[in-house]
Amino acid sequence: QVQLVESGGGLVQAGGSLRLSCAASGQIYSINKMGWYRQAPGKQRDLVADITSGGYINYVDSVKGRFTISRDNAKNTVYLQMNSLEPEDTAVYYCYANVRTRWGASTADYWGQGTQVTVSS
């Protein structure tokens, strides 16, 4: 029904930058919130940042001032610009979208497949 495709992960040295992208496609009537979670080995999946269709943004404290989330509503795409990366940012990053697939339907969360971000010290 709805597919999310991520891109932009990779290996970078501490202090470097990466930009993640996530495009949603399929049966989409509207998207409420889009965002990014991350999961490090042996840890739970935690919110990094999210953004509503109206542009309200929320960041986890550990990335404030370093990461910037943005969104192109016309393209159903969310971005995560990550600067000043630290080894502690190493994780698999997952995008999600809270989607309404048709008028009047309830919303549901959809997830991307995940992209690996590795920051070397």
Side-chain angles (χ1 to χ4, degrees), residues 11 15 17 36 40 81 99:
L11 173 64
S17 298
W36 296 90
Q81 177 67 42
V99 178

Side-chain angles (χ1 to χ4, degrees), residues 18-76:
L18 285 173
R19 188 184 192 225
L20 306 182
S21 300
C22 173
S25 62
Q27 187 175 349
I28 298 172
Y29 175 78
S30 64
I31 302 178
N32 178 21
K33 191 178 291 187
M34 301 184 80
W36 296 90
Y37 277 68
R38 65 186 178 186
Q39 187 168 20
K43 296 188 176 181
Q44 67 181 20
R45 190 178 298 187
D46 291 323
L47 176 69
V48 176
D50 56 26
I51 180 170
T52 68
S53 58
Y56 181 82
I57 291 173
N58 177 49
Y59 293 106
V60 67
D61 286 346
S62 61
V63 308
K64 287 180 179 178
R66 301 188 299 122
F67 291 10
T68 301
I69 190 171
S70 60
R71 175 173 171 172
D72 185 332
N73 290 331
K75 296 181 179 179
N76 291 331

Side-chain angles (χ1 to χ4, degrees), residues 9 52 78 96 106 113:
T52 68
V78 64
Y96 83 96
S106 57
Q113 79 283 0

